[in-house]
Amino acid sequence: MAIKPKYVKQLGRLLLERYPEAFNTDFETNKDSVTKLTNVESKGVRNRIAGYITRKKSGAAAAA
């Protein structure tokens, strides 16, 4: 498991806080949502943020 950069975690948490309904446990859906809701131009950074959000959502679903 790789350690995510601080900016990925910060932006991921901010997006989940502001737009919780825009994300779910599907990576592809989250990738599209990150593209629509941010101005991140790098595909790699977008994918890291979407992956972080997907993991947070999956963990929350498993804990609930």
Side-chain angles (χ1 to χ4, degrees):
M1 181 164 100
I3 298 172
K4 303 271 188 256
K6 186 176 181 179
Y7 63 89
V8 169
K9 291 180 181 181
Q10 286 177 331
L11 190 51
R13 280 191 225 113
L14 182 68
L15 288 171
L16 277 172
E17 190 177 293
R18 289 189 183 172
Y19 310 102
E21 69 287 340
F23 301 102
N24 57 31
T25 58
D26 179 48
F27 173 73
E28 294 298 325
T29 305
N30 293 343
K31 199 165 65 169
D32 292 337
S33 295
V34 170
T35 302
K36 290 175 190 168
L37 297 172
T38 66
N39 61 352
V40 174
E41 294 179 11
S42 168
K43 184 166 68 169
V45 173
R46 179 201 64 198
N47 288 349
R48 285 180 183 219
I49 295 167
Y52 178 76
I53 290 171
T54 301
R55 209 167 155 108
K56 284 294 186 188
K57 283 291 205 171
S58 295

